[in-house]
Amino acid sequence: MKKIAFMLCAAAVLGALSSCTSDPEATYEVIPASGNESRVLTVTSNAPAVFTYGDKTVSGTTTATFENVPEKGTLTINSVSADYFGQKKVDVVFNGNKTIALDVQLAKKPTIEVSQQDMMKGKVVTNDAENQEMTGVKASIAVPSTTTITGNTTSPFSISTFVPTEAGSWMTRGDDDGEAGVLVMRCAADGAKFSDPVIVTLDIPESDGLDLTCVSEDGKEVLDMTEAGSGKRQVKLSHFSDWTVVMKATASDVVTRAESSEVTTMTITIKPGTNTITYQSKTGAVWTGGTKNTTVTNYLKNKVGKYAVTNKTENYENTTGATKLTYRIIQTYEDKSFKSGSARFTARVYHGATIVIEGPQGGHSGGGFF
């Protein structure tokens, strides 16, 4: 258990040096209560589901919070509605962070289907209006009349899109090669293969210039996505399954401000027994300028982490007498500039809040902890 000793002469706080100018005989000892450093996973979804992480389950809701969870694990999401596809799994790695916030987008089953015969005659199938609104993307499939279909020659054609969920890798200084999935195209008839590739067109507003590729479900095929007019991309597929649109960006021009304007200073009277400090901690990335669209938003959410403001409570045990102590909430962040293809955008990346506790006025000053 970590201890923070508040001495009016000299003290070591979690291994940090401190200085003081008051009565050397007075000592205040505050012990962080167990659980202060526990990891918290928060999840939101677009439809009710059963969420399981570690040995904990939250059922029949669109939000779930898991506290005191393992550093690594698999989040399992099962839709409770037959209108959505079934189980979804997300690998979670906290990577030293105390909080991870995830948006899980469950894939809704398509409501538009076109027979293979009609597709061969030139009809185009699209994702439905609700799916377009959910993902911000209009997707369509066109089949060349010269193609031969094998593998699945009876099922109708359809396409639905959804945003993949990844536990952000929390891009840090020096990480200059970042990729993240920004969209999944679920193409049916599943298993169908084509002698002449079918053409999938994605209408993604304001996506011109972004570095986008299309990756097969097994990761073995990486296809170029050609620009096909303002905000449109096309890719040629030789077979159907789930295909992921991946965006690549380079981060540079990092400015770290350890003690920025986002600093809150408070005074608390520490009493014998349990004392509680409640504060807000920001995590994840916020777009701040340049190109902004659904693709960029999804990239930041999956590569860097979803932006979230979390109310946190930390408890301390005071084993000595009452005294007034000053504490500061220091919200650290990095301002990052990103380049993807010919497009540029900026974001503020938060790394959680730090508590620094100080002694009485004119006395102790010391370190803190996350």
Side-chain angles (χ1 to χ4, degrees):
M1 179 176 291
K2 296 179 181 177
K3 295 186 177 181
I4 302 180
F6 298 93
M7 296 184 174
L8 301 184
C9 176
V13 181
L14 297 181
L17 294 177
S18 49
S19 62
C20 28
T21 57
S22 300
D23 181 1
E25 299 300 323
T27 299
Y28 300 97
E29 190 171 60
V30 180
I31 304 171
S34 61
N36 272 358
E37 296 185 359
S38 68
R39 290 172 290 271
V40 178
L41 172 65
T42 61
V43 187
T44 58
S45 70
N46 57 312
V50 178
F51 304 89
T52 301
Y53 187 75
D55 59 354
K56 300 176 181 179
T57 296
V58 178
S59 300
T61 181
T62 57
T63 61
T65 300
F66 300 92
E67 298 181 346
N68 303 316
V69 296
E71 169 75 15
K72 297 180 180 181
T74 299
L75 172 68
T76 302
I77 310 102
N78 281 293
S79 171
V80 299
S81 170
D83 293 335
Y84 293 81
F85 289 101
Q87 189 180 83
K88 184 181 182 75
K89 293 186 177 182
V90 181
D91 291 330
V92 176
V93 181
F94 274 81
N95 222 8
N97 297 287
K98 291 178 65 176
T99 302
I100 288 181
L102 297 179
D103 266 338
V104 175
Q105 196 169 94
L106 297 173
K108 195 171 187 297
K109 293 179 180 179
T111 59
I112 300 176
E113 294 182 334
V114 177
S115 71
Q116 293 196 22
Q117 292 80 7
D118 286 341
M119 293 294 296
M120 294 292 292
K121 293 176 183 178
K123 186 156 187 179
V124 172
V125 66
T126 67
N127 54 341
D128 60 40
E130 183 181 350
N131 190 243
Q132 293 176 28
E133 183 178 359
M134 182 178 75
T135 59
V137 174
K138 181 178 180 179
S140 62
I141 299 174
V143 176
S145 59
T146 56
T147 196
T148 299
I149 303 175
T150 58
N152 185 339
T153 60
T154 58
S155 300
F157 279 26
S158 66
I159 184 169
S160 58
T161 55
F162 62 94
V163 178
T165 304
E166 302 173 21
S169 61
W170 304 89
M171 185 183 293
T172 56
R173 187 194 305 270
D175 185 349
D176 59 358
D177 186 12
E179 294 185 349
V182 293
L183 187 74
V184 175
M185 305 178 300
R186 180 157 289 174
C187 302
D190 189 39
K193 299 178 182 180
F194 312 98
S195 59
D196 294 330
V198 300
I199 298 174
V200 176
T201 302
L202 299 179
D203 189 347
I204 314 174
E206 299 181 34
S207 62
D208 293 344
L210 292 174
D211 187 351
L212 303 177
T213 55
C214 190
V215 181
S216 61
E217 192 169 3
D218 59 10
K220 295 180 179 179
E221 292 185 63
V222 180
L223 307 177
D224 291 333
M225 300 198 72
T226 59
E227 296 195 14
S230 180
K232 288 185 172 64
R233 296 296 179 99
Q234 287 187 339
V235 62
K236 295 181 179 181
L237 302 182
S238 62
H239 67 278
F240 276 170
S241 63
D242 283 2
W243 289 81
T244 301
V245 178
V246 173
M247 175 176 156
K248 181 178 180 179
T250 300
S252 60
D253 303 329
V254 179
V255 178
T256 302
R257 298 171 183 153
E259 295 190 26
S260 68
S261 58
E262 297 185 36
V263 177
T264 304
T265 301
M266 305 290 289
T267 299
I268 187 173
T269 299
I270 298 291
K271 300 178 181 179
T274 301
N275 297 266
T276 299
I277 292 178
T278 301
Y279 64 100
Q280 287 189 332
S281 177
K282 298 178 182 179
T283 56
V286 177
W287 174 89
T288 56
T291 298
K292 184 182 183 183
N293 55 39
T294 301
T295 305
V296 168
T297 300
N298 293 336
Y299 175 85
L300 290 172
K301 181 166 55 178
N302 280 332
K303 175 61 183 175
V304 185
K306 175 192 172 185
Y307 174 72
V309 180
T310 305
N311 291 318
K312 293 195 155 193
T313 299
E314 298 196 4
N315 296 319
Y316 299 83
E317 298 293 336
N318 181 12
T319 61
T320 54
T323 186
K324 283 189 177 181
L325 299 175
T326 297
Y327 68 93
R328 290 181 296 154
I329 308 301
I330 301 176
Q331 183 69 65
T332 61
Y333 61 80
E334 293 175 321
D335 287 326
K336 289 183 177 288
S337 174
F338 294 86
K339 183 176 184 297
S340 177
S342 61
R344 294 180 181 271
F345 58 97
T346 57
R348 177 160 292 181
V349 182
Y350 289 95
H351 295 290
T354 304
I355 296 181
V356 174
I357 303 182
E358 300 175 337
Q361 292 183 351
H364 171 92
S365 64
F369 53 90
F370 287 96

